[in-house]
Amino acid sequence: MPTPSMEDYLERIYKLIDEKGYARVSDIAEGLEVHPSSVTKMIQKLDKDHYLIYEKYRGLVLTPKGKKMGKRLMERHHLLESFLTVIGVQEENIYKDVEGIEHHLSWDSITCIETLVEFFRREPARLEEFRSIHAELNSDNL
């Protein structure tokens, strides 16, 4: 099982490859706000754990295991963004909040959140009821 740090790297690498077709050390470092030397160390660890294949000066390729995990991590991230949006979290807080919670939830919790988001998608009247209660409670706290 990857560590939270490994998950951040896999998610970033998967996203870069999906968007650009490749992932360079410099792009990963910039996206994660770390030094390139840290990226190289983590890439070597991910290679050792069979999430990717890394050849010095040639780049990296995700293995099927790495692609599966990267996709799953991206989907988790997007789901949590959707969830926080649905429940009314202010947009400027969403990214930071997702980054803060995504590694601390079990996959069971993620599945339950996914079900709740889907429920609200299928039942817009229930979502409006929820938002009404949220607004009422929020105005009481001001």
Side-chain angles (χ1 to χ4, degrees):
M1 200 66 187
T3 65
S5 181
M6 291 169 75
E7 286 183 349
D8 285 339
Y9 278 86
L10 282 168
E11 182 180 344
R12 185 71 190 149
I13 291 166
Y14 182 87
K15 184 176 182 181
L16 283 166
I17 291 172
D18 188 50
E19 291 173 354
K20 298 170 88 173
Y22 59 90
R24 296 183 314 201
V25 168
S26 59
D27 295 328
I28 299 165
E30 181 182 325
L32 294 175
E33 299 177 351
V34 298
H35 292 285
S37 60
S38 299
V39 174
T40 301
K41 287 178 190 170
M42 181 58 80
I43 285 174
Q44 290 168 343
K45 182 165 179 42
L46 291 169
D47 185 7
K48 182 176 153 281
D49 291 347
H50 309 290
Y51 288 103
L52 56 81
I53 298 168
Y54 174 64
E55 293 181 21
K56 198 170 182 178
Y57 307 116
R58 297 195 67 142
L60 59 94
V61 177
L62 289 171
T63 63
K65 176 182 175 181
K67 285 179 187 174
K68 182 178 178 182
M69 181 58 71
K71 183 174 192 253
R72 187 175 188 197
L73 295 169
M74 283 291 299
E75 289 171 347
R76 175 182 72 184
H77 191 97
H78 291 306
L79 171 67
L80 292 173
E81 285 179 344
S82 296
F83 173 66
L84 295 179
T85 300
V86 163
I87 64 171
V89 173
Q90 293 177 12
E91 189 173 337
E92 64 267 15
N93 296 327
I94 290 176
Y95 181 80
K96 185 176 76 114
D97 288 352
V98 168
E99 289 299 313
I101 65 174
E102 66 183 340
H103 301 297
H104 302 284
L105 295 172
S106 67
W107 288 104
D108 180 46
S109 293
I110 296 295
T111 300
C112 290
I113 290 170
E114 184 175 34
T115 303
L116 182 61
V117 169
E118 180 61 19
F119 171 76
F120 281 139
R121 188 189 71 73
R122 292 182 187 186
E123 299 286 339
R126 298 296 219 162
L127 177 57
E128 288 308 312
E129 185 179 344
F130 170 83
R131 288 182 174 161
S132 174
I133 292 168
H134 175 69
E136 177 185 321
L137 293 174
N138 207 24
S139 68
D140 289 346
N141 292 330
L142 297 177

